[in-house]
């Protein structure tokens, strides 16, 4: 009988996992380095991340537009944080860059908890990569999926630091969030009562969204 653990090369070729999670879970000499590289943005201060990407997106001398000019794509240059059409997507890219490694670490921890015997039994039954992913990997990854979805939802609802550093909710409120609205209302316009009301609404909104997601997502969780 052919041995087929989670870490064997024969299984990794047929196991359809997220490429980033697979790289972090694979039996590679650079595994520790890859984990450090992908996770390192998550330990940086949001202020540091915001100011770094503010330079990258700078219209005249920013890294992104400079690279576009260098490769002959100068027509693609944009005021990334100054155009309402692109500002929100630019912010989303920053947040993804910072926290994708954090989410992948959670996925990898869940991947490593899946017994290799399941994949061995699937190989004996002749299951292919997609069948193993659908019947084994994806169902048993449900706990980490629940955690990541809930954390991402809470983080998006209370997003403030990066947005305030880069756009302050502009341009034309294109990147406005509840927290930036709360801050500008209470501390810029001195409407503390209105700001407090926004904070209370945000608290209950986060609570309701979190409870609903946990309740719905927990239903599909299975244990190994």
């Amino acid at each position: 009988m052919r041995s087929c653990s989670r870490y064997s090369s024969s299984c990794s070729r047929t196991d359809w996992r997220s490429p980033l999670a697979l790289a972090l879970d694979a039996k590679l000499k650079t595994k520790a380095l890859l984990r450090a590289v992908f996770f390192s943005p998550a330990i940086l201060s949001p202020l540091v991340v915001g100011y770094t990407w503010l330079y990258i997106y700078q219209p005249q001398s920013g890294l992104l537009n400079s690279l576009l000019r260098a490769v002959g794509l100068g027509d693609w240059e944009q005021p990334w944080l100054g155009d309402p059409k692109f500002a929100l997507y630019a912010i989303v890219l920053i947040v993804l860059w910072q926290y994708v490694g954090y989410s992948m670490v959670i996925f990898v921890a869940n991947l490593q908890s899946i017994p290799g015997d399941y994949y061995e039994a699937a190989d004996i039954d002749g299951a292919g990569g997609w069948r193993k992913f659908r019947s084994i990997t994806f169902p048993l990854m449900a706990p980490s999926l629940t955690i990541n979805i809930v954390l991402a939802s809470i983080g998006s609802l209370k997003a403030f630091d990066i947005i305030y550093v880069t756009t302050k909710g502009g341009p034309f409120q294109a990147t406005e969030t509840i927290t930036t609205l709360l801050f500008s209302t209470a501390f810029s316009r001195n409407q503390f009562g209105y700001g407090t009301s926004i904070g209370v609404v945000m608290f209950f909104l986060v609570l309701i969204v979190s409870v609903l997601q946990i309740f719905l997502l927990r239903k599909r969780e299975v244990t190994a």
Side-chain angles (χ1 to χ4, degrees), residues 44-93:
L44 297 176
S45 166
L47 294 177
V48 173
V49 173
Y51 281 115
T52 301
W53 280 85
L54 188 62
Y55 165 72
I56 293 174
Y57 285 138
Q58 210 278 336
Q60 284 75 37
S61 58
L63 180 61
L64 181 55
N65 281 343
S66 297
L67 287 175
L68 290 175
R69 288 193 297 270
V71 298
L73 297 176
D75 293 339
W76 290 15
E77 290 184 56
Q78 300 291 339
W80 302 102
L81 296 174
D83 191 329
K85 294 185 297 183
F86 298 104
L88 182 60
Y89 299 107
I91 296 295
V92 169
L93 179 61

Side-chain angles (χ1 to χ4, degrees), residues 14 27 50 60 90 98 112 146 187 216 220:
T14 56
K27 189 175 182 181
Q60 284 75 37
Q98 184 174 20
Q112 293 179 339
T146 299
F187 298 104
L216 294 174
R220 61 170 298 274

Side-chain angles (χ1 to χ4, degrees), residues 13 93-94 104-105 124 130 150 153 187:
R13 287 194 298 268
L93 179 61
I94 299 173
M104 287 302 99
V105 167
I124 294 174
W130 169 248
V150 172
S153 299
F187 298 104

Side-chain angles (χ1 to χ4, degrees), residues 106-122:
I106 297 175
F107 280 127
V108 166
N110 198 164
L111 279 171
Q112 293 179 339
S113 69
I114 300 176
D117 294 342
Y118 291 177
Y119 296 103
E120 182 177 351

Side-chain angles (χ1 to χ4, degrees), residues 34-217:
L34 288 173
R35 291 181 179 183
V37 168
F38 290 130
F39 185 72
S40 57
I43 65 177
L44 297 176
S45 166
L47 294 177
V48 173
V49 173
Y51 281 115
T52 301
W53 280 85
L54 188 62
Y55 165 72
I56 293 174
Y57 285 138
Q58 210 278 336
Q60 284 75 37
S61 58
L63 180 61
L64 181 55
N65 281 343
S66 297
L67 287 175
L68 290 175
R69 288 193 297 270
V71 298
L73 297 176
D75 293 339
W76 290 15
E77 290 184 56
Q78 300 291 339
W80 302 102
L81 296 174
D83 191 329
K85 294 185 297 183
F86 298 104
L88 182 60
Y89 299 107
I91 296 295
V92 169
L93 179 61
I94 299 173
V95 176
L96 286 175
W97 175 81
Q98 184 174 20
Y99 291 110
V100 68
Y102 182 85
S103 298
M104 287 302 99
V105 167
I106 297 175
F107 280 127
V108 166
N110 198 164
L111 279 171
Q112 293 179 339
S113 69
I114 300 176
D117 294 342
Y118 291 177
Y119 296 103
E120 182 177 351
D123 279 336
I124 294 174
D125 290 338
W130 169 248
R131 180 63 182 275
K132 285 192 286 186
F133 171 79
R134 184 169 58 87
S135 301
I136 301 174
T137 305
F138 185 69
L140 294 178
M141 289 285 288
S144 60
L145 188 64
T146 299
I147 293 172
N148 278 323
I149 290 177
V150 172
L151 290 178
S153 299
I154 294 174
S156 62
L157 289 172
K158 67 181 186 66
F160 174 76
D161 309 73
I162 292 176
I163 294 176
Y164 188 77
V165 167
T166 53
T167 64
K168 292 183 171 57
F172 304 107
Q173 288 76 50
T175 59
E176 188 83 87
T177 63
I178 299 177
T179 49
T180 57
L181 177 62
L182 187 158
F183 182 87
S184 62
T185 299
F187 298 104
S188 297
R189 297 194 291 269
N190 294 323
Q191 298 177 355
F192 294 104
Y194 187 25
T196 301
S197 301
I198 296 174
V200 172
V201 170
M202 185 182 71
F203 169 77
F204 284 106
L205 180 61
V206 171
L207 180 63
I208 292 171
V209 170
S210 302
V211 171
L212 284 176
Q213 286 181 331
I214 292 173
F215 176 75
L216 294 174
L217 293 173

Side-chain angles (χ1 to χ4, degrees), residues 6-19:
R6 296 193 315 273
Y7 307 104
S8 66
S9 59
S10 57
C11 286
S12 63
R13 287 194 298 268
T14 56
D15 186 7
W16 287 33
R17 302 174 183 174
S18 167

